[in-house]
Amino acid sequence: MLLKTTRACDIRESQVTDESLYKARRKFMQGTAALAGASMLPASTLWPGPARAAFNFGDIEKSGFSTAEELNSFEDITSYNNFYELGTKKGDPKRNAHRLVTKPWSIRVDGECGKPGDYDLEDFIPAPRLEERIYRLRCVEAWSMVIPWVGVELGPVLKRFEPTSKAKYVQFFTLHDPKNLPGQRRSVLDWPYREGLRMDEAMHPLTILAVGLYGKEMPNQNGAPLRLVVPWKYGFKSIKSIVRVHFTESQPATSWNQSAPREYGFYSNVNPAVNHPRWSQKRERRIGEILKRETLPFNGYAEQVADLYAGMDLKKHF
Amino acid sequence: MQAWTLKNISEQILRMRLGKPLVFTACLIPLICYGYWFFTDSLGANPIEAITRRAGDWALRFLLITLAISPLRKLTGWQGFARYRRMLGLFSFFYVCVHLSLYVTLDKFFDLAEIIEDVIDRPFITVGFTAFVLLIPLAATSTNRMVEVLQHRWTQLHRLVYVVAMLAVLHFWWMVKIDTREPAIYAAVLAVLLGFRLMFYLKRKLQETE
C-alpha cells in the first residue's frame, strides 16, 4: 500500500521536463556559456548553475577494476533505490528526487587532518580525470545490481587534506535538510545519515567517490552530487549526497549500526556465511533475473580486499 | 419505480441472487491486476518481491475484512453481511496460499533446507508460517457439513482467527526494516475490530448480571 499524499506544491510526472530535453537545454546553456567565455566574460557571472559544470563527462577513462557482467538498465538503477531521506519505499527516491537541492554544494572537512575547511564541490575534487567503474552492488536486503559508476578513487582525494597519524578512521555525513527532504521529517533514522570506513579501507583503490553513472551526472535519487561506493560492502555503507568528511581516531558511529546493532555491523562486508538475523545472506537476486544466485564473499572482490581483514574474526566483526 | 437507495439496490441484488457472484468477482480483482502487471513487466525493478508482498497485503486485508463482518452486522443491524463471511475468509486463505507459493517457488526455489531454516531461525517467518498453519483447519472446516458436525466446537475452533490475525500483523511488523507506519495501520484496524468484540462482550455480560 502506498502512503502517498499529493500536495498542491508537488510536481507531477507530466510537468517534469523530459531528461533528453533537459540535457539538450543544458548543452545549449553550456554552449552559450562557452561563447560568453570566448568573449572574455567569466561564465559563472552569467549563469551560476549548470554552466559551471564541475566534472567533464566527455572524457571518461575505463578501468581494469570493472566487471564484464551485464549491466542493469538505467531505469532499474534509478527507480529502485534505498535513500530514506527521500522516502522509505523503493520508488520514493525517484518520485521525490527533485526535493534534493544539489547546487550549490560544499563539503566540510574536519577532524584529524592538516587542511580542514569548507570546500566547494569543485575544490573538493579539483579537475578530476573521471573513471568508469562497473561494480556489483549488493544490498543487505539480498538483491544486487551491476552499475557503471563514474567517479574518482577516494584515497588521493582524502590525502590532499593531509590526514594526521591519528586519523585511523574516516566518517561521512549525508546532507541534513528536513525542509526539503521529506524522509528527514520523521525520525526513522537518527539524521543526518552517517557512515564510516577504516583508513585502509578508505585508501583502497576499489573505494571510489562517484559523481555519475551511465556516463552522466549522478541522478539525485542515487546520491547526487557525490557519493561513496565501496563495492565489497553492503550497499548502505556507500553513503549518498556527502556534505561532511570527518577524520577520527576512534571507530565512528554509523547510522544502521546505531539503529539496530545486532543486524548491521560497522564493517558490513558482504559475507554469505553471516546471516542477517531476519534473512539469509547466502543468495541474492540480481535485479532482472528470476532465480537467485550465490552471494560471494566480499561480493566477489575477495582477491583485492580479503587481506585488509587478515586475522580478524569476520563473524564477530560483521 | 423504487428509489436508488443503497438498501433498495442491495435488496435487488439479493433477489437476483447476484450478491455472491459479485463479491467473488471483486475478490479476484487483485489477483487479475497483479497477474496482468506481472506478465506485462510493470511492477518495477523487482517484480518477484512486489507480487509476493502484494499477495501478503491482500491476504491480510481480506482477513481484516472478514473480521469486520460481525461488528458491521451488529452496528448496522443488517444481517445480510454474514452470507459473505465464509467467502471472504476463504479468499484470505487463498491469497495466503499465493503469498506462500511465491515464496517457496520464486524466492526459495523449493530449497527445503533453507525454508526450514527460515521458519526456525527468523521470527517474522516463524509467526507468518504459524499463521498459515493455523488457517488450514479453519479453511478445512468451513463447509456447512463441518459446522453441523462440530457444533459448538466449531465456534471455539474458529476463534483461532483472532490469533491468526495477530500473528499476521506481527509477521508484517517484524519484516519491515525500520519504517513501521504501514504495519501500524493494520495493527490499528485489528485493534479496533477486536475492541468491538470486547465491547459487545462486556455489554452482554453487563446485561446478564442485571
Side-chain angles (χ1 to χ4, degrees):
Chain A
M1 191 173 84
L2 288 173
L3 293 172
K4 197 197 169 201
T5 49
T6 310
R7 265 167 246 143
C9 61
D10 282 352
I11 299 182
R12 288 180 202 198
E13 199 79 41
S14 60
Q15 293 173 311
V16 176
T17 311
D18 182 70
E19 197 198 31
S20 55
L21 205 62
Y22 161 75
K23 292 283 179 195
R25 197 157 68 196
R26 169 167 299 192
K27 251 210 171 97
F28 173 71
M29 286 297 186
Q30 281 169 339
T32 322
L35 270 178
S39 62
M40 303 306 284
L41 277 167
S44 57
T45 58
L46 281 178
W47 190 255
R52 207 174 49 149
F55 307 109
N56 179 9
F57 285 92
D59 180 25
I60 302 170
E61 240 175 299
K62 300 268 176 229
S63 164
F65 286 119
S66 288
T67 167
E69 285 163 90
E70 195 188 333
L71 301 181
N72 278 96
S73 68
F74 182 80
E75 172 64 21
D76 282 352
I77 294 169
T78 57
S79 65
Y80 190 77
N81 306 98
N82 278 323
F83 193 2
Y84 280 17
E85 283 78 351
L86 295 174
T88 53
K89 293 197 177 295
K90 294 288 186 294
D92 289 346
K94 184 178 179 181
R95 192 164 45 243
N96 294 324
H98 60 281
R99 307 239 182 155
L100 172 65
V101 182
T102 59
K103 281 178 181 125
W105 195 270
S106 78
I107 295 121
R108 168 160 298 178
V109 178
D110 61 7
E112 303 292 344
C113 69
K115 287 185 173 170
D118 291 324
Y119 296 85
D120 283 345
L121 181 57
E122 295 78 7
D123 305 325
F124 184 76
I125 315 178
R129 186 75 200 277
L130 298 181
E131 262 186 68
E132 180 179 69
R133 295 276 181 111
I134 304 172
Y135 282 161
R136 292 176 289 274
L137 176 116
R138 169 61 157 80
C139 179
V140 74
E141 298 164 347
W143 54 266
S144 63
M145 292 195 193
V146 177
I147 303 175
W149 300 110
V150 178
V152 294
E153 275 182 26
L154 174 67
V157 173
L158 291 186
K159 275 188 195 139
R160 287 182 49 249
F161 304 107
E162 298 169 3
T164 68
S165 59
K166 277 186 172 173
K168 302 272 190 271
Y169 297 87
V170 55
Q171 189 182 23
F172 303 89
F173 293 83
T174 295
L175 175 68
H176 188 234
D177 183 13
K179 246 194 216 157
N180 289 309
L181 301 175
Q184 284 181 337
R185 287 176 213 147
R186 298 186 318 116
S187 53
V188 279
L189 288 166
D190 179 19
W191 311 114
Y193 192 80
R194 63 210 68 175
E195 257 309 334
L197 295 172
R198 219 169 55 190
M199 215 52 189
D200 57 343
E201 298 175 322
M203 292 297 170
H204 194 281
L206 275 177
T207 308
I208 62 166
L209 279 172
V211 297
L213 57 84
Y214 261 105
K216 299 189 273 194
E217 199 168 287
M218 188 70 77
N220 284 1
Q221 62 267 39
N222 294 83
L226 179 74
R227 65 167 292 168
L228 190 68
V229 178
V230 196
W232 71 92
K233 292 174 181 284
Y234 292 120
F236 67 87
K237 292 294 290 183
S238 294
I239 185 170
K240 300 183 178 82
S241 306
I242 299 167
V243 293
R244 185 179 160 208
V245 175
H246 176 69
F247 295 100
T248 165
E249 189 169 13
S250 51
Q251 184 177 302
T254 58
S255 288
W256 281 101
N257 177 252
Q258 284 177 297
S259 137
R262 220 170 59 82
E263 303 185 17
Y264 312 96
F266 172 77
Y267 286 96
S268 286
N269 294 317
V270 174
N271 190 346
V274 176
N275 286 331
H276 183 279
R278 287 186 285 143
W279 53 83
S280 164
Q281 296 291 30
K282 284 190 202 109
R283 273 187 263 273
E284 67 201 48
R285 171 165 298 121
R286 178 66 53 83
I287 294 302
E289 293 179 353
I290 293 174
L291 297 185
K292 290 188 170 181
R293 45 169 82 205
E294 301 285 318
T295 288
L296 302 172
F298 299 105
N299 197 23
Y301 299 97
E303 201 184 312
Q304 291 95 327
V305 300
D307 56 347
L308 293 175
Y309 310 98
M312 276 175 72
D313 179 357
L314 294 178
K315 291 209 161 139
K316 206 171 132 229
H317 299 281
F318 58 91
Chain B
M1 175 82 188
Q2 279 185 323
W4 285 86
T5 62
L6 199 61
K7 187 163 168 281
N8 287 342
I9 295 169
S10 45
E11 275 172 7
Q12 185 61 35
I13 288 171
L14 290 184
R15 250 197 310 275
M16 294 167 71
R17 296 180 174 276
L18 280 175
K20 282 190 179 174
L22 276 179
V23 174
F24 189 90
T25 313
C27 291
L28 284 173
I29 290 173
L31 180 77
I32 294 163
C33 287
Y34 283 102
Y36 177 75
W37 290 328
F38 183 73
F39 288 107
T40 53
D41 198 15
S42 31
L43 288 175
N46 198 346
I48 293 173
E49 178 193 75
I51 43 165
T52 309
R53 293 202 174 161
R54 298 299 82 80
D57 287 348
W58 282 101
L60 184 50
R61 285 170 195 165
F62 277 113
L63 195 61
L64 295 178
I65 294 170
T66 311
L67 285 176
I69 296 292
S70 40
L72 272 176
R73 220 164 96 188
K74 291 202 170 101
L75 291 172
T76 62
W78 189 56
Q79 302 301 314
F81 289 114
R83 79 180 68 224
Y84 307 112
R85 192 170 63 174
R86 166 165 49 196
M87 189 192 286
L88 290 164
L90 284 171
F91 262 107
S92 173
F93 183 67
F94 169 72
Y95 282 102
V96 170
C97 291
V98 173
H99 177 60
L100 186 70
S101 332
L102 289 168
Y103 161 81
V104 170
T105 56
L106 295 178
D107 201 53
K108 294 289 161 184
F109 202 64
F110 303 103
D111 187 334
L112 202 62
E114 213 173 278
I115 292 169
I116 291 168
E117 187 190 303
D118 265 1
V119 171
I120 293 169
D121 287 352
R122 320 214 194 285
F124 89 93
I125 296 181
T126 314
V127 296
F129 191 76
T130 310
F132 164 72
V133 171
L134 294 179
L135 266 182
I136 297 171
L138 303 194
T141 58
S142 63
T143 60
N144 288 340
R145 169 112 184 91
M146 288 310 282
V147 181
E148 275 168 38
V149 171
L150 291 169
Q151 294 183 357
H152 73 279
R153 280 173 301 163
W154 189 92
T155 317
Q156 286 175 339
L157 177 66
H158 279 250
R159 288 204 180 111
L160 264 181
V161 74
Y162 305 130
V163 180
V164 171
M166 287 188 271
L167 291 174
V169 170
L170 201 57
H171 169 63
F172 191 8
W173 195 291
W174 283 348
M175 186 212 65
V176 300
K177 248 162 68 178
I178 202 158
D179 187 355
T180 49
R181 271 181 303 177
E182 219 180 299
I185 293 170
Y186 290 93
V189 171
L190 179 62
V192 168
L193 294 174
L194 296 181
F196 273 125
R197 287 170 169 79
L198 187 67
M199 200 177 78
F200 295 137
Y201 173 78
L202 292 175
K203 220 167 136 188
R204 204 169 59 232
K205 280 281 155 193
L206 218 63
Q207 281 165 351
E208 277 169 20
T209 52
E210 266 168 16

